[in-house]
Amino acid sequence: MLHKSSQKEAVSHRYEPPEQRVRPAKPFSRTKQIMLGFLVIILIGSLLLMLPVSTKPGQSTDYSGALFTSVSATCVTGLVVYDTYTHWTIFGQLVILTMIQIGGLGLITITSFAMIILRRRIGLNSRELIRESLNTPQLHGGVRLVRTIIRGTLLIEGIGALLLSIRFVPELGFGRGIYYGIFHSISAFCNAGFDLMGYQGEFSSLTAYATDPLVSIVIMLLILIGGIGFLVWDDILVNKYHFIKYRLQTKVVLVMSAILVFGGALLFFIFEYSNLMADMNFGEKVLASFFASVTPRTAGFNTISLSEMTNASKLLTVIFMFIGGCPGSTAGGIKVTTVAVIFLYIKSYLLHTEDCVVFNRRLDKDAIKRASVIIFINLSLALIMLFVIMATQDFEPLDVMLEVFSATGTVGLSAGITSELNTVSRTGIMILMYLGRVGSLTFAMSFTERRTSGVVRYPEERIIIG
């Protein structure tokens, strides 16, 4: 039996008014932790780029330019206000490269791997962070996936660097050639688009290698491998070449990627046949067409000048930049799976079928909601920024579209207006790059991950659509 004083305390506690109770603070959500992690890397990078040792003699860096470069590198975009070769020293370039690698793999992936190396225990919260950052459907297997990602990344980037060095060493010397191979391999795999080709002309990207099969094919393969998604890697490693055993996501990603790559190459071949590719032979035109099809999917390199493209090619580039790569990868954009879900549901609706079926699997009913929300958010952000830039500066509309959708999809392609943006436009582009990178992993999902179901459901009533 409780003592009287204990009974009074219990009763007092039981009937304490709600407003007087001390409520525990809400935990910092995993989404916010990931977003804050990217922000911290951006701020540290911008401060490092402001150091005198980061800038070459005769060059000056204001904080706005350093911050823009840091955002672009961490968000693996590739839009630049300074040419990477002519403006930054080796130290500055290595800072940029480090941010690209962290931004491509994700801070959570890298810190988790460090914990594995140090044999530190990875708790439930850390495993949830891994699941959230990699956009995996389940908690189980996250640690193993982290190991696969890091080892696979080092292997692929190493092979890419070695192959690129075959071309760069004879041209630039042994040490510089190896360095160029490593830099461009990491930049391509992480879909960043930063390059060191400014010695051939500022902001020239890979235009000098438009007809070079070795450089073009290696860069394309690195972009595609980095952009198909870590879950797809894992699925292919486990099930090898047995397509029928793949997860539904892997099948959709591979099929959609093939359609976009080959379909885009055909269209670019047609649009630029008598324009930028007029002086190329047939094989060179095919190579340049495939490169133009692959790189808008968030990579940022170019072998033909975007500013001199036909309007049809520019518009196609904008569409590809908006689509982007695949979920849980180094790529940005709304993702190919989002586009696939929308088209599949359109087909299902037009054919009056109750279920949306693909590869003998029925899609989740919530998939269309998530896909619609992601498209609406990204398109709204892009349209707002289009109005802002067009209202404050005088550029060609298609060039502005290239810039804005390049930032939204974390691509890095530009018609050459990045360095001419005013403070308002530059700030808006930085926000788009940040939200584009974080959004591809967590930001868009934050609008749909917490669903509440009220006790009361209101009467249903139809409105006319279309």
Side-chain angles (χ1 to χ4, degrees):
M1 182 178 292
L2 290 173
H3 191 270
K4 286 184 178 180
S5 62
S6 298
Q7 290 178 344
K8 287 179 181 180
E9 288 176 7
V11 172
S12 173
H13 176 72
R14 186 180 303 155
Y15 293 99
E16 183 180 359
E19 61 273 9
Q20 295 180 6
R21 296 175 188 166
V22 179
R23 296 183 178 181
K26 291 183 178 179
F28 206 50
S29 70
R30 288 181 291 274
T31 299
K32 291 179 181 177
Q33 290 180 52
I34 294 170
M35 294 177 70
L36 182 62
F38 274 97
L39 190 59
V40 168
I41 296 300
I42 288 170
L43 293 177
I44 293 173
S46 67
L47 294 176
L48 290 174
L49 291 176
M50 283 296 294
L51 297 175
V53 71
S54 296
T55 307
K56 287 185 175 180
Q59 303 288 343
S60 61
T61 305
D62 58 16
Y63 185 69
S64 173
L67 182 62
F68 191 97
T69 304
S70 182
V71 172
S72 184
T74 305
C75 299
V76 289
T77 303
L79 289 174
V80 292
V81 291
Y82 307 121
D83 181 77
T84 308
Y85 171 79
T86 58
H87 188 86
W88 304 109
T89 61
I90 296 294
F91 177 81
Q93 292 167 11
L94 290 176
V95 169
I96 291 171
L97 192 63
T98 302
M99 288 189 288
I100 288 172
Q101 189 74 87
I102 294 173
L105 295 181
L107 183 62
I108 303 300
T109 302
I110 293 174
T111 53
S112 299
F113 187 73
M115 291 174 68
I116 294 171
I117 294 295
L118 297 173
R119 299 184 181 279
R120 298 285 300 274
R121 180 178 176 274
I122 299 179
L124 182 60
N125 184 59
S126 297
R127 292 173 187 269
E128 285 284 0
L129 277 171
I130 293 171
R131 184 189 65 80
E132 190 85 14
S133 65
L134 296 177
N135 204 11
T136 58
Q138 58 187 15
L139 191 64
H140 176 69
V143 175
R144 181 184 61 83
L145 182 59
V146 167
R147 290 195 185 97
T148 301
I149 290 170
I150 298 297
R151 291 169 181 170
T153 296
L154 293 176
L155 177 63
I156 294 166
E157 288 179 348
I159 294 173
L162 181 62
L163 292 174
L164 290 173
S165 297
I166 294 173
R167 176 67 68 243
F168 294 144
V169 167
E171 293 180 358
L172 305 170
F174 184 78
R176 189 179 171 192
I178 294 293
Y179 172 60
Y180 268 53
I182 294 171
F183 188 99
H184 291 92
S185 179
I186 293 174
S187 183
F189 176 80
C190 292
N191 282 213
F194 279 81
D195 68 85
L196 299 176
M197 298 302 169
Y199 72 95
Q200 299 171 339
E202 289 191 348
F203 309 108
S204 60
S205 192
L206 299 176
T207 51
Y209 300 95
T211 58
D212 188 317
L214 176 61
V215 173
S216 293
I217 292 174
V218 170
I219 293 292
M220 281 192 287
L221 288 175
L222 287 168
I223 293 168
L224 290 171
I225 294 170
I228 62 172
F230 302 126
L231 281 177
V232 175
W233 283 18
D234 187 60
D235 203 4
I236 294 175
L237 286 173
V238 171
N239 295 301
K240 308 303 179 185
Y241 303 109
H242 302 288
F243 185 84
I244 195 170
K245 294 182 180 180
Y246 292 162
R247 301 186 190 100
L248 178 60
Q249 174 171 318
T250 302
K251 294 176 180 177
V252 171
V253 162
L254 293 178
V255 171
M256 284 293 296
S257 296
I259 292 172
L260 290 172
V261 169
F262 287 94
L266 176 61
L267 291 175
F268 279 115
F269 184 86
I270 295 170
F271 296 154
E272 298 298 329
Y273 187 88
S274 301
N275 186 36
L276 294 178
M277 302 177 190
D279 297 330
M280 299 179 183
N281 60 40
F282 182 79
E284 292 170 345
K285 288 178 180 178
V286 171
L287 182 65
S289 298
F290 271 101
F291 198 94
S293 178
V294 169
T295 194
R297 308 263 310 288
T298 81
F301 295 104
N302 61 283
T303 55
I304 55 177
S305 174
L306 263 73
S307 59
E308 298 175 9
M309 277 185 172
T310 63
N311 288 337
S313 293
K314 287 182 179 180
L315 185 58
L316 181 60
T317 301
V318 168
I319 294 170
F320 273 32
M321 289 193 295
F322 185 65
I323 294 172
C326 309
S329 70
T330 60
I334 62 171
K335 306 297 188 293
V336 296
T337 48
T338 302
V339 176
V341 166
I342 293 295
F343 275 107
L344 289 169
Y345 269 94
I346 290 173
K347 175 188 173 184
S348 176
Y349 184 81
L350 292 177
L351 296 179
H352 303 286
T353 55
E354 183 177 353
D355 296 325
C356 183
V357 178
V358 57
F359 293 113
N360 297 320
R361 292 293 184 272
R362 175 169 50 86
L363 288 181
D364 176 16
K365 293 292 185 183
D366 277 348
I368 184 63
K369 296 179 183 178
R370 295 194 297 270
S372 300
V373 169
I374 291 171
I375 290 176
F376 178 79
I377 291 172
N378 282 273
L379 191 57
S380 297
L381 290 170
L383 290 175
I384 290 170
M385 199 59 223
L386 279 171
F387 281 116
V388 170
I389 296 179
M390 288 182 178
T392 58
Q393 294 189 262
D394 185 22
F395 293 122
E396 289 293 325
L398 265 177
D399 290 346
V400 179
M401 287 181 67
L402 277 169
E403 197 77 14
V404 168
F405 281 93
S406 180
T408 305
T410 66
V411 181
L413 292 174
S414 173
I417 67 173
T418 309
S419 58
E420 300 175 29
L421 296 175
N422 59 27
T423 303
V424 174
S425 300
R426 187 180 292 186
T427 302
I429 292 295
M430 283 192 286
I431 293 171
L432 286 182
M433 289 191 291
Y434 176 71
L435 293 181
R437 180 55 183 151
V438 175
S440 60
L441 298 174
T442 57
F443 183 74
M445 289 185 65
S446 68
F447 292 90
T448 58
E449 64 183 357
R450 294 182 180 179
R451 294 173 293 178
T452 58
S453 179
V455 177
V456 178
R457 298 191 68 187
Y458 293 98
E460 182 181 280
E461 185 172 348
R462 294 181 180 276
I463 61 172
I464 298 174
I465 303 295

